[in-house]
Amino acid sequence: ERAKQEKLDAIQRAKDEKEREKQEKLDAIERAKQEKLDAIQRAKDEKEREKQEKLDAIERAKQEKLDAIQRAKDDKEREKQEKLAAIEAAKQEKVNMKRRATQLKQEEAQAKIDAKKREKQRIKDEKEEKARLKKEASQKN
C-alpha cells in the first residue's frame, strides 16, 4: 500500500513538475511577447517624438522667417515715414524762411518811409526855425 502511495506521489510530483515547467515556458513566452510589444511601442513613441521635433523646428523656422519679413517691412515703413517727415519739415522751414524774408522786406520798406518822413519833417522844422529867426531879426531891426 505504501509503495503504491509512493508511486502515486512520484507520478503526481512528476505531473506537477511537468506542469510547472510548462507554466514557466508559457510565462517566459508571454514575457518575451510583452517585451517585444514594449520595444515596438518605445520605437513608435521615439519615431513620433522625432517627427514632432522636426515639425516643431520647421514651424519655428517658418515663424522666424515671417517675423524677419515683418521686421523688414516695419523698418522700411519707418524709414519711409522718417523721410516724409524730413521732407515736410524742410518744406515748412522754406515757408517760414519766405515769410521771414517778406517780413524783413516790409520792415525795410517801412524804415525807408519813416526815414523820408523824418527827413521831410526835419527840413520843414529847419525852414520854420529859419523863418522864425528871420522874423525875430526883422522885428529887432
Side-chain angles (χ1 to χ4, degrees), residues 3-99:
K4 192 177 178 183
Q5 189 56 45
E6 284 176 2
K7 189 176 181 182
L8 285 173
D9 288 348
I11 290 168
Q12 188 58 46
R13 276 195 305 276
K15 277 184 185 178
D16 290 347
E17 181 65 23
K18 200 171 188 180
E19 184 59 34
R20 189 184 54 76
E21 287 174 2
K22 179 181 170 186
Q23 192 57 49
E24 284 177 0
K25 282 182 185 178
L26 287 174
D27 290 348
I29 290 168
E30 189 57 38
R31 274 193 310 275
K33 277 185 189 176
Q34 193 56 50
E35 286 172 5
K36 187 175 182 180
L37 289 173
D38 291 348
I40 289 168
Q41 189 59 49
R42 279 192 304 272
K44 280 183 183 177
D45 292 348
E46 180 65 19
K47 197 171 188 179
E48 182 60 32
R49 186 186 59 76
E50 287 173 1
K51 178 181 169 186
Q52 192 58 49
E53 284 176 358
K54 284 180 185 176
L55 290 173
D56 290 349
I58 290 167
E59 189 57 38
R60 274 193 309 275
K62 279 183 189 176
Q63 192 57 49
E64 287 170 6
K65 187 175 181 179
L66 289 173
D67 291 348
I69 290 169
Q70 189 59 48
R71 278 192 304 274
K73 282 182 183 177
D74 292 347
D75 289 347
K76 198 170 187 179
E77 181 61 27
R78 182 181 41 76
E79 288 172 8
K80 179 181 167 186
Q81 290 303 321
E82 287 172 358
K83 283 180 185 176
L84 289 173
I87 290 168
E88 188 56 38
K91 283 180 185 176
Q92 191 58 48
E93 183 63 23
K94 191 174 181 181
V95 167
N96 291 344
M97 288 173 71
K98 283 184 180 178
R99 271 195 203 129

